[in-house]
Amino acid sequence: AQSVTQLGSHVSVSEGALVLLRCNYSSSVPPYLFWYVQYPNQGLQLLLKYTTGATLVKGINGFEAEFKKSETSFHLTKPSAHMSDAAEYFCAVRVSGGSYIPTFGRGTSLIVHP
Amino acid sequence: DTGVSQDPRHKITKRGQNVTFRCDPISEHNRLYWYRQTLGQGPEFLTYFQNEAQLEKSRLLSDRFSAERPKGSFSTLEIQRTEQGDSAMYLCASSLEAHSPIDTLHFGNGTRLTVT
C-alpha cells in the first residue's frame, strides 16, 4: 500500500523567507510523487512531479522538490515566499503495477505574513 | 482546453434528501475520478472511470452513493438519503492517459455539499 505523510498542518513564513513543506512517502515499489496546490474555493493544480531521472524537480511559480530515496522524502521548497503563495499544498503518490490511483496527504496550509 | 467543470458549485440540502452532482471532464480524457475532501483533510478517493467503465470503488463509497459515466463523457455522482456526515467538497478530476502513472490529473473547482 502507498501513503504520504505531510508534517505540519500549518506553516507560517514571512514574505521573502524560505518555504519548506515536508512530505514523506511509504511505498514498496518505486513511487511517482506529486505536489498540488489548492487556492481557496478552487480545485487542485499540479505544481510539479517526480517520475524518473533527475531527483531535483522544478515546477511552476518558483517551487522545486527533491526526491530522496534514502529518506523516503519529497520536500517542497521555494527560496523566497510571496503573498500569493498562501494556499493549501498537497503531496501525492502513485505507484506502478496497479490502477495508478493517486493517494493524497492531509495537506499543509502555507501562511505568508507581510 | 476549457478545464474540468463541476455543477453545482454549492448545494445545501436537508438530511434524507437525494442530491446529484455533475462533472464534465476535459474532452477526450479517458479517466475520470471522484474524490471527497473534508475540512483539514486531503482528497480521499471515491471511484474512477476509464471511459464508461467504473473500474474501482473505495470502501468510502457506501451503498447510498452511485456514480455513472454514460458514453464515457460527463459523469454524475448521486447521494441518496443524505446524512450530515456527507457534508464535504466533492472533487472531480480527469486525465488523458488510461495506463500511465505520470499523467496529470486536472481537477474541477468542486461541489461543496452541506447537509443540514
Side-chain angles (χ1 to χ4, degrees), chain B residues 83-107:
Chain B
E83 302 173 355
Q84 288 189 323
D86 297 332
S87 295
M89 176 78 86
Y90 289 84
L91 296 169
C92 176
S94 69
S95 66
L96 179 61
E97 296 295 328
H99 297 289
S100 170
I102 63 172
D103 62 321
T104 298
L105 265 66
H106 298 262
F107 282 84

PDB file of all heavy atoms in Angstrom, chain B residues 83-107:
ATOM      1  N   GLU B  83     -26.810  12.239   4.691  1.00  0.00           N
ATOM      2  CA  GLU B  83     -26.566  12.333   6.129  1.00  0.00           C
ATOM      3  C   GLU B  83     -25.633  13.514   6.374  1.00  0.00           C
ATOM      4  O   GLU B  83     -24.919  13.951   5.464  1.00  0.00           O
ATOM      5  CB  GLU B  83     -25.909  11.038   6.639  1.00  0.00           C
ATOM      6  CG  GLU B  83     -26.730   9.796   6.372  1.00  0.00           C
ATOM      7  CD  GLU B  83     -25.992   8.516   6.717  1.00  0.00           C
ATOM      8  OE1 GLU B  83     -24.787   8.595   7.077  1.00  0.00           O
ATOM      9  OE2 GLU B  83     -26.607   7.430   6.620  1.00  0.00           O
ATOM     10  N   GLN B  84     -25.611  14.005   7.611  1.00  0.00           N
ATOM     11  CA  GLN B  84     -24.765  15.155   7.913  1.00  0.00           C
ATOM     12  C   GLN B  84     -23.294  14.844   7.651  1.00  0.00           C
ATOM     13  O   GLN B  84     -22.526  15.725   7.260  1.00  0.00           O
ATOM     14  CB  GLN B  84     -24.982  15.613   9.345  1.00  0.00           C
ATOM     15  CG  GLN B  84     -26.336  16.299   9.547  1.00  0.00           C
ATOM     16  CD  GLN B  84     -26.468  16.950  10.907  1.00  0.00           C
ATOM     17  OE1 GLN B  84     -25.985  16.412  11.897  1.00  0.00           O
ATOM     18  NE2 GLN B  84     -27.127  18.090  10.955  1.00  0.00           N
ATOM     19  N   GLY B  85     -22.914  13.613   7.830  1.00  0.00           N
ATOM     20  CA  GLY B  85     -21.534  13.200   7.573  1.00  0.00           C
ATOM     21  C   GLY B  85     -21.143  13.251   6.104  1.00  0.00           C
ATOM     22  O   GLY B  85     -19.962  13.127   5.776  1.00  0.00           O
ATOM     23  N   ASP B  86     -22.119  13.448   5.228  1.00  0.00           N
ATOM     24  CA  ASP B  86     -21.810  13.566   3.802  1.00  0.00           C
ATOM     25  C   ASP B  86     -21.356  14.969   3.437  1.00  0.00           C
ATOM     26  O   ASP B  86     -20.896  15.196   2.317  1.00  0.00           O
ATOM     27  CB  ASP B  86     -23.047  13.210   2.959  1.00  0.00           C
ATOM     28  CG  ASP B  86     -23.490  11.771   3.138  1.00  0.00           C
ATOM     29  OD1 ASP B  86     -22.639  10.909   3.437  1.00  0.00           O
ATOM     30  OD2 ASP B  86     -24.705  11.511   3.002  1.00  0.00           O
ATOM     31  N   SER B  87     -21.497  15.903   4.363  1.00  0.00           N
ATOM     32  CA  SER B  87     -21.079  17.284   4.099  1.00  0.00           C
ATOM     33  C   SER B  87     -19.587  17.306   3.798  1.00  0.00           C
ATOM     34  O   SER B  87     -18.766  16.857   4.603  1.00  0.00           O
ATOM     35  CB  SER B  87     -21.382  18.174   5.298  1.00  0.00           C
ATOM     36  OG  SER B  87     -22.767  18.262   5.520  1.00  0.00           O
ATOM     37  N   ALA B  88     -19.238  17.812   2.636  1.00  0.00           N
ATOM     38  CA  ALA B  88     -17.841  17.804   2.178  1.00  0.00           C
ATOM     39  C   ALA B  88     -17.767  18.528   0.849  1.00  0.00           C
ATOM     40  O   ALA B  88     -18.783  18.919   0.275  1.00  0.00           O
ATOM     41  CB  ALA B  88     -17.335  16.369   2.007  1.00  0.00           C
ATOM     42  N   MET B  89     -16.533  18.657   0.355  1.00  0.00           N
ATOM     43  CA  MET B  89     -16.308  19.117  -1.004  1.00  0.00           C
ATOM     44  C   MET B  89     -16.115  17.872  -1.863  1.00  0.00           C
ATOM     45  O   MET B  89     -15.301  17.008  -1.524  1.00  0.00           O
ATOM     46  CB  MET B  89     -15.064  19.997  -1.071  1.00  0.00           C
ATOM     47  CG  MET B  89     -14.701  20.430  -2.475  1.00  0.00           C
ATOM     48  SD  MET B  89     -15.742  21.766  -3.068  1.00  0.00           S
ATOM     49  CE  MET B  89     -14.837  23.157  -2.398  1.00  0.00           C
ATOM     50  N   TYR B  90     -16.857  17.785  -2.944  1.00  0.00           N
ATOM     51  CA  TYR B  90     -16.727  16.646  -3.853  1.00  0.00           C
ATOM     52  C   TYR B  90     -15.984  17.130  -5.096  1.00  0.00           C
ATOM     53  O   TYR B  90     -16.431  18.019  -5.806  1.00  0.00           O
ATOM     54  CB  TYR B  90     -18.095  16.064  -4.193  1.00  0.00           C
ATOM     55  CG  TYR B  90     -18.684  15.360  -2.992  1.00  0.00           C
ATOM     56  CD1 TYR B  90     -19.377  16.081  -2.022  1.00  0.00           C
ATOM     57  CD2 TYR B  90     -18.498  14.000  -2.795  1.00  0.00           C
ATOM     58  CE1 TYR B  90     -19.868  15.456  -0.886  1.00  0.00           C
ATOM     59  CE2 TYR B  90     -18.990  13.360  -1.667  1.00  0.00           C
ATOM     60  CZ  TYR B  90     -19.663  14.094  -0.714  1.00  0.00           C
ATOM     61  OH  TYR B  90     -20.145  13.471   0.413  1.00  0.00           O
ATOM     62  N   LEU B  91     -14.826  16.518  -5.313  1.00  0.00           N
ATOM     63  CA  LEU B  91     -13.947  16.931  -6.399  1.00  0.00           C
ATOM     64  C   LEU B  91     -13.962  15.909  -7.524  1.00  0.00           C
ATOM     65  O   LEU B  91     -13.957  14.705  -7.289  1.00  0.00           O
ATOM     66  CB  LEU B  91     -12.504  17.064  -5.892  1.00  0.00           C
ATOM     67  CG  LEU B  91     -12.230  18.132  -4.848  1.00  0.00           C
ATOM     68  CD1 LEU B  91     -10.832  17.954  -4.275  1.00  0.00           C
ATOM     69  CD2 LEU B  91     -12.372  19.517  -5.440  1.00  0.00           C
ATOM     70  N   CYS B  92     -13.953  16.424  -8.730  1.00  0.00           N
ATOM     71  CA  CYS B  92     -13.852  15.587  -9.914  1.00  0.00           C
ATOM     72  C   CYS B  92     -12.530  15.917 -10.599  1.00  0.00           C
ATOM     73  O   CYS B  92     -12.095  17.080 -10.610  1.00  0.00           O
ATOM     74  CB  CYS B  92     -15.028  15.872 -10.847  1.00  0.00           C
ATOM     75  SG  CYS B  92     -14.968  14.988 -12.422  1.00  0.00           S
ATOM     76  N   ALA B  93     -11.894  14.927 -11.150  1.00  0.00           N
ATOM     77  CA  ALA B  93     -10.652  15.136 -11.884  1.00  0.00           C
ATOM     78  C   ALA B  93     -10.655  14.240 -13.108  1.00  0.00           C
ATOM     79  O   ALA B  93     -11.276  13.164 -13.113  1.00  0.00           O
ATOM     80  CB  ALA B  93      -9.441  14.822 -11.009  1.00  0.00           C
ATOM     81  N   SER B  94      -9.962  14.672 -14.134  1.00  0.00           N
ATOM     82  CA  SER B  94      -9.829  13.827 -15.323  1.00  0.00           C
ATOM     83  C   SER B  94      -8.381  13.807 -15.776  1.00  0.00           C
ATOM     84  O   SER B  94      -7.600  14.704 -15.454  1.00  0.00           O
ATOM     85  CB  SER B  94     -10.742  14.311 -16.457  1.00  0.00           C
ATOM     86  OG  SER B  94     -10.306  15.551 -16.986  1.00  0.00           O
ATOM     87  N   SER B  95      -8.023  12.751 -16.509  1.00  0.00           N
ATOM     88  CA  SER B  95      -6.679  12.643 -17.069  1.00  0.00           C
ATOM     89  C   SER B  95      -6.760  11.962 -18.415  1.00  0.00           C
ATOM     90  O   SER B  95      -7.691  11.192 -18.688  1.00  0.00           O
ATOM     91  CB  SER B  95      -5.740  11.884 -16.128  1.00  0.00           C
ATOM     92  OG  SER B  95      -6.133  10.541 -15.997  1.00  0.00           O
ATOM     93  N   LEU B  96      -5.765  12.241 -19.241  1.00  0.00           N
ATOM     94  CA  LEU B  96      -5.808  11.789 -20.621  1.00  0.00           C
ATOM     95  C   LEU B  96      -5.475  10.319 -20.773  1.00  0.00           C
ATOM     96  O   LEU B  96      -6.179   9.577 -21.455  1.00  0.00           O
ATOM     97  CB  LEU B  96      -4.831  12.625 -21.466  1.00  0.00           C
ATOM     98  CG  LEU B  96      -4.740  12.266 -22.951  1.00  0.00           C
ATOM     99  CD1 LEU B  96      -6.083  12.466 -23.627  1.00  0.00           C
ATOM    100  CD2 LEU B  96      -3.666  13.111 -23.631  1.00  0.00           C
ATOM    101  N   GLU B  97      -4.399   9.879 -20.118  1.00  0.00           N
ATOM    102  CA  GLU B  97      -3.887   8.545 -20.363  1.00  0.00           C
ATOM    103  C   GLU B  97      -4.576   7.508 -19.502  1.00  0.00           C
ATOM    104  O   GLU B  97      -4.782   7.709 -18.309  1.00  0.00           O
ATOM    105  CB  GLU B  97      -2.379   8.500 -20.087  1.00  0.00           C
ATOM    106  CG  GLU B  97      -1.561   9.378 -21.014  1.00  0.00           C
ATOM    107  CD  GLU B  97      -1.626   8.898 -22.450  1.00  0.00           C
ATOM    108  OE1 GLU B  97      -1.742   7.673 -22.654  1.00  0.00           O
ATOM    109  OE2 GLU B  97      -1.557   9.733 -23.362  1.00  0.00           O
ATOM    110  N   ALA B  98      -4.894   6.378 -20.092  1.00  0.00           N
ATOM    111  CA  ALA B  98      -5.579   5.336 -19.339  1.00  0.00           C
ATOM    112  C   ALA B  98      -4.603   4.516 -18.517  1.00  0.00           C
ATOM    113  O   ALA B  98      -4.943   4.022 -17.464  1.00  0.00           O
ATOM    114  CB  ALA B  98      -6.351   4.428 -20.280  1.00  0.00           C
ATOM    115  N   HIS B  99      -3.392   4.341 -18.981  1.00  0.00           N
ATOM    116  CA  HIS B  99      -2.475   3.431 -18.295  1.00  0.00           C
ATOM    117  C   HIS B  99      -1.143   4.110 -18.009  1.00  0.00           C
ATOM    118  O   HIS B  99      -0.095   3.560 -18.283  1.00  0.00           O
ATOM    119  CB  HIS B  99      -2.240   2.181 -19.149  1.00  0.00           C
ATOM    120  CG  HIS B  99      -3.487   1.388 -19.359  1.00  0.00           C
ATOM    121  ND1 HIS B  99      -4.093   0.676 -18.360  1.00  0.00           N
ATOM    122  CD2 HIS B  99      -4.253   1.214 -20.453  1.00  0.00           C
ATOM    123  CE1 HIS B  99      -5.175   0.087 -18.843  1.00  0.00           C
ATOM    124  NE2 HIS B  99      -5.297   0.396 -20.094  1.00  0.00           N
ATOM    125  N   SER B 100      -1.197   5.279 -17.475  1.00  0.00           N
ATOM    126  CA  SER B 100       0.045   5.971 -17.156  1.00  0.00           C
ATOM    127  C   SER B 100       0.000   6.508 -15.745  1.00  0.00           C
ATOM    128  O   SER B 100      -0.945   7.194 -15.378  1.00  0.00           O
ATOM    129  CB  SER B 100       0.272   7.133 -18.128  1.00  0.00           C
ATOM    130  OG  SER B 100       1.337   7.945 -17.681  1.00  0.00           O
ATOM    131  N   PRO B 101       1.025   6.221 -14.952  1.00  0.00           N
ATOM    132  CA  PRO B 101       1.044   6.741 -13.585  1.00  0.00           C
ATOM    133  C   PRO B 101       1.543   8.171 -13.496  1.00  0.00           C
ATOM    134  O   PRO B 101       1.545   8.749 -12.420  1.00  0.00           O
ATOM    135  CB  PRO B 101       2.021   5.795 -12.879  1.00  0.00           C
ATOM    136  CG  PRO B 101       2.965   5.390 -13.962  1.00  0.00           C
ATOM    137  CD  PRO B 101       2.154   5.333 -15.224  1.00  0.00           C
ATOM    138  N   ILE B 102       1.965   8.731 -14.633  1.00  0.00           N
ATOM    139  CA  ILE B 102       2.569  10.063 -14.545  1.00  0.00           C
ATOM    140  C   ILE B 102       1.751  11.139 -15.240  1.00  0.00           C
ATOM    141  O   ILE B 102       2.142  12.291 -15.273  1.00  0.00           O
ATOM    142  CB  ILE B 102       4.009  10.062 -15.113  1.00  0.00           C
ATOM    143  CG1 ILE B 102       3.996   9.712 -16.610  1.00  0.00           C
ATOM    144  CG2 ILE B 102       4.886   9.104 -14.334  1.00  0.00           C
ATOM    145  CD1 ILE B 102       5.357   9.875 -17.266  1.00  0.00           C
ATOM    146  N   ASP B 103       0.616  10.753 -15.802  1.00  0.00           N
ATOM    147  CA  ASP B 103      -0.199  11.788 -16.444  1.00  0.00           C
ATOM    148  C   ASP B 103      -0.808  12.692 -15.378  1.00  0.00           C
ATOM    149  O   ASP B 103      -1.016  12.289 -14.243  1.00  0.00           O
ATOM    150  CB  ASP B 103      -1.287  11.176 -17.322  1.00  0.00           C
ATOM    151  CG  ASP B 103      -2.265  10.345 -16.531  1.00  0.00           C
ATOM    152  OD1 ASP B 103      -1.834   9.637 -15.598  1.00  0.00           O
ATOM    153  OD2 ASP B 103      -3.469  10.413 -16.826  1.00  0.00           O
ATOM    154  N   THR B 104      -1.091  13.905 -15.777  1.00  0.00           N
ATOM    155  CA  THR B 104      -1.550  14.910 -14.824  1.00  0.00           C
ATOM    156  C   THR B 104      -3.049  14.805 -14.607  1.00  0.00           C
ATOM    157  O   THR B 104      -3.820  14.712 -15.567  1.00  0.00           O
ATOM    158  CB  THR B 104      -1.208  16.311 -15.356  1.00  0.00           C
ATOM    159  OG1 THR B 104       0.213  16.421 -15.472  1.00  0.00           O
ATOM    160  CG2 THR B 104      -1.726  17.388 -14.412  1.00  0.00           C
ATOM    161  N   LEU B 105      -3.470  14.840 -13.362  1.00  0.00           N
ATOM    162  CA  LEU B 105      -4.893  14.955 -13.051  1.00  0.00           C
ATOM    163  C   LEU B 105      -5.287  16.421 -13.098  1.00  0.00           C
ATOM    164  O   LEU B 105      -4.643  17.272 -12.492  1.00  0.00           O
ATOM    165  CB  LEU B 105      -5.198  14.391 -11.658  1.00  0.00           C
ATOM    166  CG  LEU B 105      -5.659  12.941 -11.593  1.00  0.00           C
ATOM    167  CD1 LEU B 105      -4.536  12.014 -12.033  1.00  0.00           C
ATOM    168  CD2 LEU B 105      -6.158  12.598 -10.204  1.00  0.00           C
ATOM    169  N   HIS B 106      -6.354  16.698 -13.810  1.00  0.00           N
ATOM    170  CA  HIS B 106      -6.894  18.047 -13.891  1.00  0.00           C
ATOM    171  C   HIS B 106      -8.173  18.080 -13.054  1.00  0.00           C
ATOM    172  O   HIS B 106      -9.108  17.334 -13.339  1.00  0.00           O
ATOM    173  CB  HIS B 106      -7.202  18.429 -15.343  1.00  0.00           C
ATOM    174  CG  HIS B 106      -5.989  18.442 -16.220  1.00  0.00           C
ATOM    175  ND1 HIS B 106      -5.312  19.602 -16.524  1.00  0.00           N
ATOM    176  CD2 HIS B 106      -5.315  17.435 -16.841  1.00  0.00           C
ATOM    177  CE1 HIS B 106      -4.278  19.310 -17.309  1.00  0.00           C
ATOM    178  NE2 HIS B 106      -4.263  18.016 -17.505  1.00  0.00           N
ATOM    179  N   PHE B 107      -8.177  18.939 -12.050  1.00  0.00           N
ATOM    180  CA  PHE B 107      -9.299  18.991 -11.129  1.00  0.00           C
ATOM    181  C   PHE B 107     -10.278  20.095 -11.486  1.00  0.00           C
ATOM    182  O   PHE B 107      -9.881  21.176 -11.959  1.00  0.00           O
ATOM    183  CB  PHE B 107      -8.796  19.235  -9.705  1.00  0.00           C
ATOM    184  CG  PHE B 107      -8.232  18.017  -9.045  1.00  0.00           C
ATOM    185  CD1 PHE B 107      -6.911  17.645  -9.261  1.00  0.00           C
ATOM    186  CD2 PHE B 107      -9.016  17.234  -8.218  1.00  0.00           C
ATOM    187  CE1 PHE B 107      -6.377  16.518  -8.664  1.00  0.00           C
ATOM    188  CE2 PHE B 107      -8.494  16.102  -7.605  1.00  0.00           C
ATOM    189  CZ  PHE B 107      -7.173  15.744  -7.829  1.00  0.00           C
TER     190      PHE B 107
END
